[in-house]
Structure formats: C-alpha cells, structure tokens
Amino acid sequence: MLKKRIIPCLDVDRGRVVKGVNFVDLIDAGDPVEQAKIYNSEGADELCFLDITASSDDRETLFEVVKKTAENCFIPLTVGGGVRTIDDISRLLHHGADKVSINTAAVENIDLVAKAAKKYGSSTIVIAVDAKKNGDKSWNIFTHGGRNPTDIDALEYCIEVANLGAGEILLTSMDRDGTKIGFDNELLSTVSSSIDIPVIASGGVGNLEHFVEGVLKGGASALLAASIFHFGEYSIKDVKTYLAEQNIAVRI
Amino acid sequence: MKLVIINYGSGNLHSVHKAFEAVNNNLENPYEIVVTNTPSEILNADKLVLPGVGAFQDCKNAIHKIDGLFESLEQVVIGEKKAFMGICVGMQLLAEKSLEFGECEGFGWIPGEVIKIEAPADYKIPHMGWNEVTFSNHELLNNISQNTDFYFVHSYYFRTQKNENCIATTKYPNPITAAVLKENIFGTQFHPEKSHNNGKQIITNFLEWEPS
C-alpha cells in the first residue's frame, strides 16, 4: 500500500536554518545539512527546503546547501522559494534537488508550469499554493510569500496547474499557518477531491491528531510540518507511530 | 573496474551519482565511477547505469541526439553482456514501446510495453511515494525483506510480456512492475537513489552482481 508521507520543512535564509530544531547534539544547529541528516535518519519520507533569502546576491549559498544535503540524504529533496525561471529549476536539480516548488512565478506566468513539466517531468514540479478563505468553500491565492493578494480562485488555479502538468500541489492555508489549530481540511478536501495529482497538506498542524485529520478529512497524500518538529515537540517517529495506530499506512 | 553512469541530461543524474558514490566508497574494491556520454568511455565500461526522469520520448530523443551513444550502449549491453541497470524511465526505455504521449519505440531489450497505470478514481496519479515491494529470489534483491518500502514516482509502468522478466512488483492497487531482469539487464521502476538504506542495498547488490 502506498504510504502517507511525512515531510519536515526547513526555512533557509542565506544558507542557514531560520527556525531550527533544538537538537542537543548538533555542533552547528543552524546548518541545514546537519538538520537534514537528522530528519533523514529519523525516518522522514522527504525533505523540503524553503529558501527565504531576500537578496538574490546571497542565493548562491542555497546551491551549496542543496548539494551537500543531496550528498548525505538519500530521500527526495524538494526545494522552493524564489524559483522564477527554467534556469533556476535547472540549477537546483543540477545541485541535487529532486523536486522544485514554484509559487509566485507560476501565478505570474502560468506557461512556466507546462514548460517546466515538459522539460523535467511532472514528478519534478511541485506547485506551491498559498490560499486564504474568502467565503463559503472559496479561497483566493496569495503570492510573494503570502504578502500579495490576488483574485484568483484557489481551486480553479489548482485544477489548471494540474492540467498543465504539475506533479503535486503543496497547499498551504494562510488562515491556519502558525496557528497550531490543525490543517484547513475543508480546503484540502475541496482541492484533493477535484484533482488527480497528490496534495501535500501544509499550515496549522499543532498535534498528532491534526496529522490524522489531514489524511482522513483533508484527503492529503502527504503532510508537511515545520515548527512542530523544529521545537522538538514531536519527532517524525512520534507522528508515524501515531498514524500507524490509527490504521493509516506509513513507512516505519 | 569501471562503472559508467550515462549522462544525457536526466534530472536525477546527480542524485544517482551521489548514491552510487556513497555505496561505492564502502566497497572493498571500489569501482572507478565515470559520469559520461562519450561512446569511447562507454565501450570501456564494466557496468552501466542509465538514470531517467520525465517523459519516455524526451529521454529517448535525448539519448539519440548524442552521436554514437545508443550504438555504444547496445554493443556493451547486448553484444558484450555487461551488467546494466536502468532506473525509472531508464528502466522503461528497455521496453519495445511506450504509449506515453502517443506511441514511441524503446530499446526493445526486454519484451513488453510501457502503459498508463490503471487505478480506481480515488487513487492519485502519479503513483508517488513509498510503496511496498514483493519480489522473487535473486541476488540483486539480497538482504532486502519482502514488503520493504521503496520510493516511486511515475504515471506509466512497464508491463513485461513474459512473467519471468518481472522480478518485483508493487500494488496500486493493481500489480505494477517494480523491477525487471533479463540476463545481464536489470531495471527498477522505483528510485534506489532516493530509497534510503534499502535503496543503498539494491545499489550494493548491483555493484556486487556478476551476471552469468
């Protein structure tokens, strides 16, 4: 049976982890490669790096981080943040990313989705969607890291990018992000039941039960979390053990 | 001994290279690993690895665009029977043909065709993530337990014409070919380079394999 994936996400700024795990044994807790290694050995199913480096001059550091991570972690690595062109995708893949997530650039230039999927294969292209509720069963997407509103309907957008060849949707609820009150399962189920490609749930997870709900109520194929792992509240193993106890198939 | 990883611009080349290097470094007699598309290097290979992600036809075109690449591969793998491993689309290319985006001819090294995964409507396509693999006994699957998870990402699969060429399967929920074998030619639909320790074990097995 295909397993539900647990994906820890690291925010990386100028090559350093911004919100890090409080791992006692780490020599350098701000080193994303060191943190990735721990997640890798703890049984994470994939890893996700979100580059939040503001200046493009500092972006080179990311490539080095990706390269070193790929040399040490033999699980899929998704890298996103500031991906704007085919050349950006190419460079990330060349340095060892397995998938690249695109957010704002896909909204501004929808052709990029089809071009990227054609060139590198659908499985390589993750479309990241930041959605905020604007009414009953209706969500709009935001760009530029959630700063800029659009009048684009989230569901329609997800259907469109899926048709253009996106391999996965990384769906973040802006209403829930950072709240720890659980995923927006209504958003997740509305999108996941309307498209064939997998949906990764993101935003709002605060306890173990939230992971279960993301699968059972949200219909998510994978569950992404950041702070719940970073602050050491739960380990990957805790999450997987709990999911398994609820009869949800996970890789143990 | 020289292991050649074929470079034709495949997206997973780097990951495959790094995984093989990591395993190779632990061998008593490590291989010289060369990443290349040069026919003269390929002709000198003792073992070959063909990675591949993306569309079947794009991968095939990319290989044929490089002068003498396919011919040298054919000479070493079919003519000289050197051990070969294809990964994902690199494995699907072994088929006679693929039906992805219209019909496209493959290498024809293993009888069968590459067809779309047929699954109930509530099954997501692509088949993406960790799934259990069952297999028949073979040294390429040494030290792997039945129902071990491997990482898959694909929408099409290789339906071999002969059962004997399909040595491992997964279920989604119908059986899907997870690994193929014909004499010196081995291929996996899953990504050993992304399947953590189990993937490394498969790579170890391939490096130690001496096809008779």
Side-chain angles (χ1 to χ4, degrees):
Chain A
M1 185 183 276
L2 187 68
K3 307 297 162 66
K4 298 297 176 187
R5 290 169 279 151
I6 306 298
I7 309 174
C9 179
L10 295 171
D11 285 0
V12 179
D13 185 5
R14 285 168 290 176
R16 305 284 295 171
V17 178
V18 183
K19 280 184 286 181
V21 194
N22 291 316
F23 292 126
V24 188
D25 298 337
L26 277 193
I27 298 163
D28 180 358
D31 182 354
V33 182
E34 291 299 316
Q35 297 214 359
K37 278 191 206 168
I38 290 185
Y39 284 134
N40 181 49
S41 63
E42 275 189 344
D45 295 309
E46 295 186 24
L47 291 169
C48 181
F49 284 167
L50 179 64
D51 185 37
I52 57 168
T53 308
S55 156
S56 55
D57 294 344
D58 294 327
R59 204 154 272 259
E60 294 300 315
T61 54
L62 176 73
F63 295 114
E64 204 48 39
V65 166
V66 170
K67 186 164 172 272
K68 281 194 189 138
T69 305
E71 282 165 10
N72 289 285
C73 299
F74 301 103
I75 56 174
L77 172 65
T78 301
V79 183
V83 176
R84 307 204 65 84
T85 63
I86 289 286
D87 188 51
D88 291 339
I89 299 169
S90 174
R91 289 191 71 191
L92 285 170
L93 293 175
H94 179 74
H95 281 83
D98 297 291
K99 308 182 202 180
V100 171
S101 109
I102 313 171
N103 191 330
T104 303
V107 179
E108 291 177 344
N109 173 21
I110 198 91
D111 292 342
L112 180 65
V113 180
K115 271 190 199 147
K118 175 103 181 58
K119 189 162 170 73
Y120 298 108
S122 288
S123 59
T124 309
I125 306 303
V126 180
I127 299 299
V129 178
D130 293 336
K132 194 171 168 59
K133 199 168 170 78
N134 77 339
D136 186 35
K137 294 220 173 195
S138 168
W139 296 262
N140 281 354
I141 61 174
F142 278 62
T143 60
H144 298 86
R147 290 189 298 276
N148 296 4
T150 73
D151 54 10
I152 300 168
D153 179 76
L155 176 60
E156 284 173 23
Y157 178 72
C158 290
I159 292 171
E160 187 178 7
V161 295
N163 287 335
L164 288 170
E168 263 181 314
I169 304 279
L170 168 53
L171 185 54
T172 302
S173 160
M174 291 178 54
D175 303 297
R176 298 300 178 94
D177 206 22
T179 63
K180 297 193 165 194
I181 58 169
F183 294 115
D184 183 343
N185 293 311
E186 195 181 30
L187 167 67
L188 288 169
S189 66
T190 301
V191 172
S192 71
S193 62
S194 306
I195 56 175
D196 287 337
I197 60 174
V199 172
I200 305 168
S202 160
V205 69
N207 62 40
L208 296 176
E209 191 57 31
H210 292 155
F211 285 96
V212 175
E213 289 170 358
V215 173
L216 298 182
K217 294 184 184 165
S221 298
L223 306 150
L224 181 130
S227 49
I228 193 170
F229 295 130
H230 297 172
F231 298 117
E233 289 162 75
Y234 300 103
S235 67
I236 304 276
K237 191 160 176 275
D238 293 336
V239 174
K240 289 189 159 188
T241 306
Y242 189 76
L243 287 171
E245 282 167 8
Q246 313 300 313
N247 294 318
I248 292 170
V250 287
R251 181 179 70 105
I252 300 270
Chain B
M1 296 279 274
K2 188 151 103 176
L3 175 99
V4 164
I5 302 175
I6 312 286
N7 176 9
Y8 62 98
S10 171
N12 64 340
L13 179 72
H14 181 89
S15 299
V16 169
H17 182 203
K18 290 301 152 194
F20 271 80
E21 254 184 2
V23 171
N24 190 52
N25 289 340
N26 291 328
L27 292 185
E28 214 167 290
N29 297 308
Y31 286 77
E32 178 199 351
I33 297 183
V34 183
V35 178
T36 183
N37 58 20
T38 310
S40 59
E41 294 256 31
I42 292 167
L43 290 170
N44 282 322
D46 296 292
K47 280 189 184 176
L48 299 115
V49 179
L50 185 68
V53 290
F56 187 98
Q57 186 143 18
D58 290 347
C59 288
K60 196 189 166 215
N61 291 345
I63 289 169
H64 282 277
K65 226 182 248 174
I66 300 165
D67 221 16
L69 173 57
F70 178 72
E71 291 73 15
S72 57
L73 261 180
E74 198 169 36
Q75 182 175 330
V76 178
V77 179
I78 301 299
E80 298 166 25
K81 304 261 179 224
K82 297 282 170 64
F84 171 95
M85 177 173 181
I87 297 172
C88 197
V89 180
M91 168 268 225
Q92 295 185 352
L93 284 165
L94 305 174
E96 291 162 309
K97 65 176 178 184
S98 164
L99 301 179
E100 187 180 5
F101 299 122
E103 203 171 306
C104 176
E105 260 184 48
F107 295 174
W109 292 352
I110 297 181
E113 56 186 22
V114 176
I115 58 171
K116 180 115 183 156
I117 295 171
E118 284 176 11
D122 56 336
Y123 279 71
K124 299 289 185 187
I125 303 286
H127 170 229
M128 183 186 289
W130 299 80
N131 206 343
E132 290 158 29
V133 169
T134 52
F135 49 84
S136 37
N137 281 335
H138 191 279
E139 59 191 295
L140 284 164
L141 297 151
N142 274 354
N143 297 317
I144 304 276
S145 311
Q146 291 288 354
N147 302 314
T148 291
D149 291 313
F150 287 93
Y151 189 80
F152 290 84
V153 184
H154 62 128
S155 301
Y156 286 74
Y157 79 102
F158 187 170
R159 187 171 61 188
T160 60
Q161 197 186 88
K162 297 177 182 164
N163 285 339
E164 68 198 48
N165 291 141
C166 172
I167 59 162
T169 57
T170 187
K171 281 186 175 168
Y172 194 61
N174 303 314
I176 288 174
T177 304
V180 296
L181 177 69
K182 190 187 166 204
E183 300 170 8
N184 56 316
I185 303 169
F186 175 50
T188 62
Q189 178 62 65
F190 55 81
H191 289 269
E193 78 279 13
K194 288 289 134 189
S195 294
H196 204 222
N197 292 339
N198 295 316
K200 283 189 186 171
Q201 184 63 51
I202 294 276
I203 293 171
T204 306
N205 293 347
F206 176 71
L207 292 178
E208 289 174 349
W209 184 41
E210 289 173 23
S212 45

